[in-house]
Amino acid sequence: MTAPSAPAGAASAAPAPPSPPEKSPPRPRRRLPGGDALLGTGGVLAFLLVWELVPRTSLVSADYLPPASKVLATLAERTATAKFWTAVGDTLAAWGLGLAIAVGAAVLLGFAIGTVPVLRAYTASTVEFLRPIPSVALIPLAILVYGTDIASTLMLVIYAAFWQVYVQVLYGVADIDPVADQTARAYGLGRWARIRHLIWPTALPYLITGVRLGAAVALILTITAQLTIGSPGLGQEIAVAQSSGAPHVVYALIVATGILGVAVNTGVRALERRVLRWHPSVRGEAAV
């Protein structure tokens, strides 16, 4: 007998191999509350431990790098004196006043020039020429014009912080959506109305970025000017301690400037989150 032949299409009727199970999308890692703060604290403690061991193991002479314990003890002693807080106040006064003047001038000029394409084109080469000039190169000029007064420090701080904010404002003004701009013009919004309702909300994130950058640069220039020129503040105290041959005091004051810088950055970041709480980047940061 002849075996029955397989029906046509039997091969295609064979069951298909099972498809691999679908992989579920990776679940986002859940960040522990305060995890970043714990990591940062651990890094600082590790740095202090290395700093403490290096001079005690004679890798570096304690005359040039005092142990961290001695430096921190010196800093604690200095914080108990009125002279230290007077120096901190002088530094913050020069920093805050210089930054405020720089931000005000940058916002006014940035909006006035950025919203007029002809003015922006005519001033572009001047900006590109002046912006790269380092502020420390103006120290001799500042001493010549203002001496060792706080005005010399303000001159350097304003010059350094102004460009950080001004350039960001120009970028923000240029980032206007053309469709939104044409719509505003079609509805008859005047120049000031467009600035208030269209240009200002668009440029505000850029402005806050410029303020954050300018705040850090302004603090650096404040300390540098006080250290070099001799105007009152923490920089002058560092120069006096260095000339007196007291390295532990020098390092203590340097640590104080670092703490001041962290406080300034934290304050500016808090201001940014408050002012831009409506912005997607800040909302996303808060959600994480």
Side-chain angles (χ1 to χ4, degrees), residues 14-259:
S19 58
E22 295 184 358
K23 294 183 178 180
S24 58
R27 301 178 61 183
R29 293 184 177 181
R30 301 181 63 180
R31 301 171 64 178
L32 296 176
D36 292 340
L38 291 176
L39 291 175
T41 303
V44 171
L45 293 177
F47 172 75
L48 292 176
L49 178 61
V50 173
W51 183 2
E52 181 73 21
L53 292 177
V54 166
R56 295 192 181 279
T57 55
S58 300
L59 291 176
V60 178
S61 173
D63 295 334
Y64 303 104
L65 181 65
S69 56
K70 184 177 182 180
V71 171
L72 295 179
T74 302
L75 178 59
E77 294 174 0
R78 303 288 291 196
T79 55
T81 63
K83 184 179 180 181
F84 172 81
W85 293 109
T86 301
V88 172
D90 291 335
T91 299
L92 288 177
W95 167 80
L97 182 58
L99 181 63
I101 295 174
V103 170
V107 170
L108 290 177
L109 289 177
F111 276 87
I113 295 176
T115 54
V116 180
V118 175
L119 288 178
R120 181 166 183 172
Y122 273 107
T123 58
S125 57
T126 304
V127 170
E128 293 304 320
F129 171 74
L130 294 175
R131 187 164 61 94
I133 297 177
S135 298
V136 292
L138 302 178
I139 289 178
L141 178 61
I143 296 175
L144 180 64
V145 175
Y146 298 109
T148 59
D149 192 66
I150 188 176
S152 58
T153 301
L154 288 177
M155 175 181 173
L156 301 177
V157 172
I158 292 170
Y159 186 86
F162 171 81
W163 299 113
Q164 303 292 330
V165 183
Y166 177 75
V167 172
Q168 290 295 326
V169 171
L170 288 183
Y171 286 150
V173 172
D175 197 34
I176 301 298
D177 186 358
V179 176
D181 187 37
Q182 293 173 7
T183 303
R185 292 176 185 274
Y187 276 94
L189 268 69
R191 177 182 174 85
W192 292 111
R194 293 199 308 273
I195 290 177
R196 179 183 177 184
H197 298 291
L198 179 63
I199 300 177
W200 174 254
T202 304
L204 186 58
Y206 291 88
L207 171 61
I208 297 299
T209 300
V211 171
R212 188 173 71 245
L213 297 174
V217 172
L219 183 61
I220 293 172
L221 263 297
T222 301
I223 302 296
T224 302
Q226 294 171 350
L227 181 64
T228 308
I229 298 174
S231 55
L234 286 175
Q236 184 189 55
E237 295 296 315
I238 294 174
V240 171
Q242 187 271 336
S243 61
S244 303
H248 58 288
V249 178
V250 172
Y251 281 99
L253 293 173
I254 291 174
V255 171
T257 60
I259 295 173

